[in-house]
Amino acid sequence: MPEADQHDEREPQGGTAPRDEVDRIVAAWSYERPDLDFAPLHVLSRVGRLAKHLDRARRDAFVASDLEQWEFDVLSALRRAGGPYELSPKALLQQTLVSSGAMTNRIDRLVARGLVERRTDPNDGRGVRARLTQAGGDAVDAAIERLLAAERRLLADLGPVDEQRLGDLLRRLSLTLGD
């Protein structure tokens, strides 16, 4: 079987752009299976590869802030709610897409760490609300600053126009898929 770069003749989209691993993979497949259209791989294989870079950047940002991904998700939902930075467990469920049992467990663990406190719902004495503590607010603020810095580094080679265009295209695709 021929080596991939021996038949890697197709120019990347745009003509003079440098080739990446996806270009090499698509070229090899195109050589082996010229009957198939590999155009989706140009987009979705890159999205998958970029997702791995993003996962690593997020993991590093959260580790540096002494948070797990799930902790950041809950704390950031509370922080985004605005003062007094509290939500019902039901509202947290809707934002984080986990089960009721998982949310109870998460709130318990965040309370144990001093990042969240439970409060009686002022509108329903039987209800409970999770409220961000000062320590939780400090942790999530530090984490979001680290995350944004890491994500800026990932996008550093794009100018503002390209970044906006890419964001718009990804939004369109995301909405088409049901997000």
Side-chain angles (χ1 to χ4, degrees):
M1 211 176 274
E3 295 270 335
D5 38 353
Q6 290 177 342
H7 49 76
D8 197 11
E9 295 148 9
R10 185 173 161 260
E11 278 293 314
Q13 294 171 354
T16 60
R19 302 179 71 74
D20 66 2
E21 188 60 23
V22 173
D23 291 319
R24 289 183 277 281
I25 289 168
V26 169
W29 270 118
S30 296
Y31 179 82
E32 294 298 324
R33 292 294 309 271
D35 57 312
L36 297 177
D37 176 11
F38 291 96
L41 290 181
H42 281 287
V43 175
L44 298 176
S45 289
R46 287 187 177 95
V47 169
R49 288 169 175 267
L50 292 171
K52 290 178 184 176
H53 289 283
L54 180 57
D55 286 345
R56 187 173 25 244
R58 286 184 170 176
R59 186 175 50 251
D60 292 348
F62 300 144
V63 165
S65 300
D66 193 30
L67 293 176
E68 299 285 335
Q69 171 78 47
W70 67 266
E71 291 173 314
F72 176 80
D73 290 344
V74 174
L75 296 175
S76 65
L78 292 168
R79 182 68 166 96
R80 290 190 314 266
Y85 309 111
E86 65 181 32
L87 292 170
S88 69
K90 182 178 179 182
L92 284 168
L93 290 173
Q94 293 169 335
Q95 291 192 37
T96 59
L97 303 175
V98 298
S99 71
S100 165
M103 184 53 65
T104 299
N105 185 353
R106 289 177 179 193
I107 292 171
D108 288 345
R109 291 171 66 188
L110 290 167
V111 167
R113 287 195 60 197
L115 302 174
V116 166
E117 62 186 11
R118 280 193 174 84
R119 296 181 27 91
T120 303
D121 188 328
N123 302 320
D124 177 4
R126 297 169 294 151
V128 174
R129 298 179 66 83
R131 177 182 271 187
L132 199 59
T133 63
Q134 182 67 47
D138 292 345
V140 75
D141 283 352
I144 194 66
E145 289 173 19
R146 287 182 176 104
L147 177 60
L148 289 172
E151 290 185 359
R152 267 191 220 93
R153 286 190 297 276
L154 292 175
L155 296 172
D157 288 342
L158 296 181
V161 172
D162 285 339
E163 189 175 322
Q164 178 70 44
R165 184 178 307 131
L166 179 59
D168 291 344
L169 289 169
L170 291 171
R171 178 186 311 105
R172 190 166 104 200
L173 181 59
S174 180
L175 289 170
T176 299
L177 297 174
D179 185 22

